[in-house]
C-alpha cells in the first residue's frame, strides 16, 4: 500500500471518493476502455495500446498497491470516474521525466495517470472537480508535486491541464509533460 490518505471523501454533493479494491477492477477497466474507444473515435491515438490489449500502467497492480481512486455517485453508487496516483515513478515516468535509477525510489512527486470520467457525465466540469479533489482531498506523505503527461497532439487535454493550474514543462518523445506544486494544508 502507498502512503496516501483520503482527508475528504466528498468530491462534491452526490459524489464520493474511495480507494479502489480488487472487486472494482473490472468496472474500472471497462470505464478506461470506454474512454480509450471514445478517444479513438475522435481521431486520437492516446491510450491506443489499451485497445490492443496492452495495459502499460498495470491496473491490477496499481489497485493492489492502493494507487487507484474511484469516484462513485451517492444515489446509485455508479462509477463516475477514476484515476491512478503513483508515488513511485514507473519506467514510463522515468523515461519521460529523464529520471535515473536513483530517482526511481520515489522523490517528491506523485504521477497521475488514466484520469477518466464516465462519458455520460462528461462536459459538465466533473474533470476539473476531480483534479481539484486530487490536490485537496488526499494527502501524500513526503510529496510536494503532481506530474502528468498527455500525447503532444491533444491540444484540448493540454489546455485542460493548464486550466487546472499545471505548468507545461516541455515535450518529450511526443508527449507533453506537466507539473503542479501541491499547496501545504
Amino acid at each position: 500500500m502507498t502512503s496516501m490518505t483520503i482527508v475528504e471523501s466528498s468530491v462534491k454533493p452526490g459524489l464520493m471518493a474511495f480507494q479502489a479494491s480488487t472487486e472494482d477492477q473490472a468496472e474500472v477497466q471497462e470505464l478506461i476502455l470506454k474512454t480509450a474507444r471514445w478517444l479513438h473515435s475522435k481521431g486520437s491515438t492516446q491510450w491506443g495500446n489499451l485497445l490492443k490489449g496492452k495495459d502499460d500502467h498495470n491496473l491490477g497492480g496499481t489497485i493492489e498497491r492502493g494507487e487507484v481512486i474511484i469516484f462513485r455517485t451517492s444515489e446509485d453508487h455508479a462509477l463516475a470516474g477514476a484515476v491512478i496516483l503513483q508515488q513511485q515513478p514507473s519506467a514510463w515516468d522515468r523515461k519521460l521525466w529523464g529520471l535515473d535509477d536513483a530517482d526511481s525510489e520515489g522523490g517528491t512527486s506523485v504521477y497521475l495517470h488514466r484520469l477518466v470520467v464516465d462519458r455520460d457525465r462528461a462536459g459538465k466540469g466533473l474533470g476539473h472537480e476531480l483534479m481539484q479533489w486530487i490536490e485537496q482531498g488526499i494527502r501524500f506523505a513526503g510529496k510536494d508535486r503532481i506530474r502528468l503527461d498527455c500525447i503532444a497532439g491533444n491540444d484540448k487535454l493540454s489546455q485542460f491541464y493548464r486550466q487546472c493550474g499545471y505548468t507545461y514543462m516541455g515535450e518529450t518523445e511526443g508527449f507533453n509533460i506537466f507539473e503542479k506544486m501541491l499547496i501545504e494544508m
Side-chain angles (χ1 to χ4, degrees):
M1 288 289 194
T2 60
S3 54
M4 71 172 131
T5 304
I6 294 176
V7 293
E8 176 57 57
S9 60
S10 177
V11 177
K12 66 177 197 164
L15 190 66
M16 303 294 288
F18 304 91
Q19 205 162 14
S21 68
T22 54
E23 291 80 29
D24 300 309
Q25 184 172 341
E27 192 177 11
V28 173
Q29 181 71 29
E30 182 52 38
L31 180 61
I32 291 171
L33 286 171
K34 185 178 178 182
T35 302
R37 289 189 291 270
W38 175 80
L39 286 167
H40 181 74
S41 77
K42 298 294 182 187
S44 176
T45 59
Q46 187 146 346
W47 298 6
N49 280 345
L50 285 169
L51 299 176
K52 298 173 188 170
K54 298 177 184 172
D55 180 5
D56 299 327
H57 291 293
N58 182 14
L59 181 62
T62 58
I63 287 174
E64 286 177 17
R65 289 188 302 275
E67 299 172 334
V68 178
I69 302 295
I70 58 174
F71 304 93
R72 292 193 177 277
T73 60
S74 299
E75 67 274 1
D76 60 2
H77 212 58
L79 186 62
V83 66
I84 298 173
L85 299 169
Q86 295 179 299
Q87 294 185 61
Q88 304 297 319
S90 65
W92 174 260
D93 297 317
R94 287 192 300 277
K95 178 179 163 185
L96 285 184
W97 289 91
L99 306 175
D100 61 26
D101 288 338
D103 294 316
S104 68
E105 295 305 315
T108 61
S109 301
V110 172
Y111 296 87
L112 186 152
H113 295 287
R114 303 276 193 245
L115 175 69
V116 291
V117 172
D118 179 56
R119 299 308 317 152
D120 295 335
R121 291 174 168 76
K124 301 172 186 161
L126 182 56
H128 283 277
E129 290 170 336
L130 297 184
M131 292 294 283
Q132 185 176 28
W133 181 87
I134 290 165
E135 297 163 27
Q136 299 172 2
I138 192 166
R139 295 289 174 270
F140 305 93
K143 306 297 181 177
D144 66 0
R145 70 195 70 210
I146 297 176
R147 290 179 167 175
L148 54 84
D149 65 86
C150 70
I151 200 162
N154 192 334
D155 295 335
K156 188 173 182 177
L157 188 54
S158 291
Q159 182 62 28
F160 169 75
Y161 292 135
R162 284 184 180 101
Q163 289 172 349
C164 290
Y166 283 75
T167 301
Y168 174 73
M169 305 300 286
E171 182 180 328
T172 305
E173 302 200 21
F175 288 85
N176 291 339
I177 55 175
F178 294 87
E179 182 175 85
K180 185 172 187 177
M181 300 303 291
L182 296 170
I183 297 170
E184 193 74 29
M185 298 195 148

